Amino acid sequence: MKLRTTSIFRVFILLCLTMQYACSVGKYIPEGEILFSGTEIKVESEEEKRALKPVEQELGTLITPAPNSDVLGMRLGLYYHYKAQKKKPGFLNKWLNKKFGEEPVYLSDVNTNRMEELMLNRLDNRGFFYSKVASEIDSTKKYASVTYKADLAKPYTLQEWKIDRDTLPIYDQIETAMTGTKLKAGERFDLELLKYERERIDTHLKSQGYYNFNSDFLIFEADTNRYDSRKFDLFLRLKKGTPKKSIVPYRIDSIAVYPNYSIENDSLPQPSAVTEENGIYFIQDEEFFKPKKLEPYILFEKGESYNSETARLTSNRLAALGSYKFVNIRFNETDTTNIEDQGSLNADIFLSPLTKRSIRTELQVLTKSNGYAGPGIAATYNNRNIFNGGETFSLTGDFSYESQISGGDDAGQTSIAGGLTANLLLPRLVPFSPSRFNYSVPKTKISLGGDILLRSDYYTLTSFNTSFGYTWKANKFVYHELNPISITYVNLADTTEEFEEILDENSYLSSSFEQQFIAGINYTFTYNELVDDNKDRPIYVSTSLDIAGNTLNLLSGGKSSVFGLEYAQYAKADIDFRYYLKWGKESALVSRLYAGWGIPYGNSTTLPFVKQFYSGGPYSVRAFEIRSLGPGTFVSDEDSTSSYYDQSGNLRLEANLEYRFPIWSYLKGALFVDAGNIWLTSEVEIDEDDDEDSIALSEELMSEGTFGSDWMKELGIGVGFGLRVDIQSFVIRFDLASPLQVPYNDEGERLRTPFFGGGSGNLVFNFAIGYPF
C-alpha cells in the first residue's frame, strides 16, 4: 500500500491551507461581537502557594462558559461552524459542522458579576470569609479574555467541636459515630466536610435501627464569640421539630419472601402457599425456589434491629443468584400512631424470576491471522434454577469449518472443529455449609467438555476436560477463581506421514505432544478498577498460577504414568498489568505489561503444547502474524509446513501502548505500538539417534531461542493504527500494523522503516472481536 509523492504533497498542501484558515477565524466574527478566548484565575493569600493550588483549581470548575476549543491555536470547530453559515456552504462544510462544529462563544455570553458571586460563595464555604474577587477584561478588536483575581482572607480554623446533647438515646449513637470524624482542631472551616459528616452519621444511625432518620435532621452551628482571631467552635445537635418516629430505632417483626413474584400482573400467591424456614415465611403457589436454599441469602432476621447496610447486601446477594430479574425489598411500618421507645417493621421481599429456559444460537464467520477462514455455528441452552436452588445449567455446542485461504504451500488445507461443553453453576460453596459472604455470592462451578479437531494432511486431535472450582468477589474490584481439580486429556491420532516427519524433525515439539494428560490446580486473582466509571486512571491486574502433576506423582508413588497415561508436571505463572489514562468521554492512553513463565520439571522436559506461549497476532504483537515470532531470533524456513508448531516457548514478555480516540458516533480510532517475544528457558533434549535434520533443528532452537542478556534486542516491535466499531461494548476491530524491529533478521538489519520499509510482511492486517486489552 503506497502513496505517490505527488498525492502526499497535495494532501500536505490541503492540510496547510485548512490550518491557515482555521487559525484566522477573526474575519468571520460578526460586527459588534468579540470572541471569548479564555479565563485566567489568580489567587493571592498569606498561605503557602502549595495549599492554594486546590483552591485555584476548584474556582476554575465554576467558570462558565468555556471558550471555543483550539488545538495549537487552530479553532477548527468554530471554523467549520462559520463556513456552514454561508449561503451556499456545500455538502462537505455542512457535514463537518454537524460532526465537529461549535457555536461561537462571545464576550457578551460571559457574566463576570455572576462568576464573582459564585467564587465568593465557594470561598465562604471553604472558610475564607470576607475574601474579595474582582474581574478584569483584556480585549482587542476581535478577541477578549477575562482574568479573575481572588484576594483570600485568612481562613477561619476549628478550635474544638462538641455535641450539644440532651437525654435522648439517639445521642449515644451520634457520639459513637463521631469517634471516626474527620473534624480536626486547626483545620479550616469546610462546608462540604460538614455535609459529609452529616451523611456519615446518618449512615451509622440507619445501621443501628433508625429507619426514618434523615441527615437533614442534623445541624452544625459555628460559634466565633470566644475568640478575637479567626477561630471558631462547632456544635452538633438535632434540629428542633425533628419527628418522633425519626429518633427511635426500629426492629423487624416479620419477614415474608415471594420467590416467584410477577411484576406484569402484580399478583401475590394465596396465603395458604406458605412455608416457614428459620422464622422467614416463603409464599409461593408452586415451589419455584426451595426455601431451605434461599434462606441463607437473607442476612437480616426476625427480631433484629433494622440495618440499611444489611438490607442492601441482601438485595445484592439475591440479585447475584442469577435466577432473578428484579429484587425489591420493602419495609413497612406496622404502627405509626403510637411509637414510644421502638418502632416495628414488616419486611417483604419480592423476587421476579428471569426466563427459566433459553436457547441462544450464533452464526459466525471466522477469520484468523494464520490465514484460516470459514463459517461457524454455536448454540447454548440455559436452564436457570434447574434444581430449584438457584443452580444454572448450560450446554454449549459449536461447530466450525475453516480453510486456509493464504499461506503459500499450506493454502487449501482445511480444519473441522466441534465441541460440547456442560457447565453447572451453584450459588454456594460445595460441599461446605452455606456461606455468609457479605459482598457477593461465592459460586461453585463444575465443568465437563470435549472437543475434536480434524486438520487435513496432519492429524485428528480429541480432547476432554473437566474442572471443579470456586469463584467469588471479595469486593467491587477483587475477583478470585480457584480450581482445585482441573483435568485435561488430549489424544493425538490419525497423524499423517507429513506430520510424523515434523515431529521427527523437532524434538522439542515431539516432547510437548507426548504428555497429554494434565491434572492439577490453578488459581486466578484479578483486581479491576475499570468497573468504576468515575476513575480517570484505573488499573487492571490479573495474575494466575497453574501447577500440574504433583498430586498424580504422589498417588502413583513417583511413577511417570497413571492408568497407562504419561502425565505432565510443570508450574506456570503469568501476570497482566494495564494502566488506563482517560480524559474526555472516550479518549484514553492504555499501557500494558505482560509476563508469563512455565517451568517443566520431574516427569516433563517441556510444557505440553497446549500450555506453551506464542507471540504475534491480533491480541499480541500485531505487526507479526500469529505464532510467527520467536523463540528468540529463531525463524522457520519460508517453505516449511511446521512453522506453526516450531514457534512456541515457555517464557513470554510483552508490552503495549495504545492511544484510543473517538472519530464519529460508534466509530473509534487507535494508534499503537507493540513489543514482545517468546523464549526457551529449558534444554531441548537431543537424541543422538535422530537424523541430521532433527539434530540441526534442535541445536538451532537452542542457540537462537534461549533467553539471554540480549533479550531486548530480540523483541519484535511494531507500530500501527486501527478502526473499531464499538456498539454498546460489542467491538469489531480492524488493525493495520507494520514492523519496526524484526528479531529474526541479522543483527544490524533488524530495524526497518514501518509501512514504507518494503519487503514481505511489511503490512499486517488484523481482524478481531473485542479490544486487544
Side-chain angles (χ1 to χ4, degrees), residues 105 222 249 284 375 658 663:
V105 180
Q284 48 188 334
E658 181 168 289
I663 297 178

Side-chain angles (χ1 to χ4, degrees), residues 36 38-39 63-65 107-120 133-138 145-148:
F36 176 53
T39 301
I63 300 299
T64 58
L107 183 62
S108 57
D109 299 320
V110 180
N111 188 337
T112 55
N113 291 332
R114 174 60 177 162
M115 290 300 102
E116 291 172 14
E117 291 175 3
L118 287 175
M119 289 184 183
L120 285 172
V133 177
S135 59
E136 182 178 309
I137 298 175
D138 184 12
S145 62
V146 179
T147 300
Y148 294 95

Side-chain angles (χ1 to χ4, degrees), residues 677-694:
N677 206 336
I678 55 170
W679 291 270
L680 304 175
T681 63
S682 56
E683 293 287 335
V684 176
E685 290 190 351
I686 300 176
D687 192 337
E688 295 180 356
D689 295 332
D690 289 344
D691 57 34
E692 294 182 0
D693 290 338
S694 178

Side-chain angles (χ1 to χ4, degrees), residues 738-764:
S738 181
L740 179 63
Q741 178 171 288
V742 182
Y744 46 75
N745 285 349
D746 294 335
E747 192 168 356
E749 298 180 3
R750 293 175 183 172
L751 292 177
R752 63 193 300 179
T753 304
F755 295 104
F756 301 100
S760 61
N762 192 55
L763 290 178
V764 177

Side-chain angles (χ1 to χ4, degrees), residues 723-743:
L723 296 175
R724 290 87 192 275
V725 180
D726 188 344
I727 304 174
Q728 295 181 346
S729 298
F730 176 76
V731 179
I732 301 174
R733 176 164 54 95
F734 307 91
D735 288 333
L736 187 65
S738 181
L740 179 63
Q741 178 171 288
V742 182

Side-chain angles (χ1 to χ4, degrees), residues 322-445:
S323 300
Y324 290 108
K325 180 167 46 177
F326 299 108
V327 175
N328 185 12
I329 302 178
R330 301 177 190 171
F331 291 94
N332 303 302
E333 297 176 65
T334 57
D335 186 359
T336 59
T337 60
N338 189 26
I339 298 176
E340 292 298 331
D341 296 330
Q342 191 176 60
S344 61
L345 299 170
N346 292 332
D348 293 326
I349 304 176
F350 300 96
L351 306 175
S352 301
L354 289 160
T355 302
K356 186 171 183 178
R357 299 176 183 86
S358 64
I359 296 178
R360 185 181 73 249
T361 304
E362 296 179 2
L363 294 176
Q364 304 166 339
V365 178
L366 306 175
T367 303
K368 298 181 180 178
S369 294
N370 59 357
Y372 277 83
I377 185 172
T380 300
Y381 166 77
N382 280 305
N383 188 322
R384 301 180 180 88
N385 198 32
I386 185 171
F387 303 125
N388 295 343
E391 305 87 357
T392 299
F393 173 77
S394 64
L395 184 66
T396 300
D398 60 85
F399 174 83
S400 64
Y401 173 84
E402 303 170 14
S403 177
Q404 189 154 5
I405 57 178
S406 63
D409 295 338
D410 291 341
Q413 289 188 7
T414 60
S415 176
I416 299 174
L420 189 66
T421 302
N423 290 310
L424 180 63
L425 202 63
L426 300 94
R428 61 192 72 93
L429 296 180
V430 177
F432 306 105
S433 60
S435 171
R436 287 283 179 175
F437 279 65
N438 282 340
Y439 182 76
S440 70
V441 177
K443 297 185 178 181
T444 300
K445 183 178 181 180

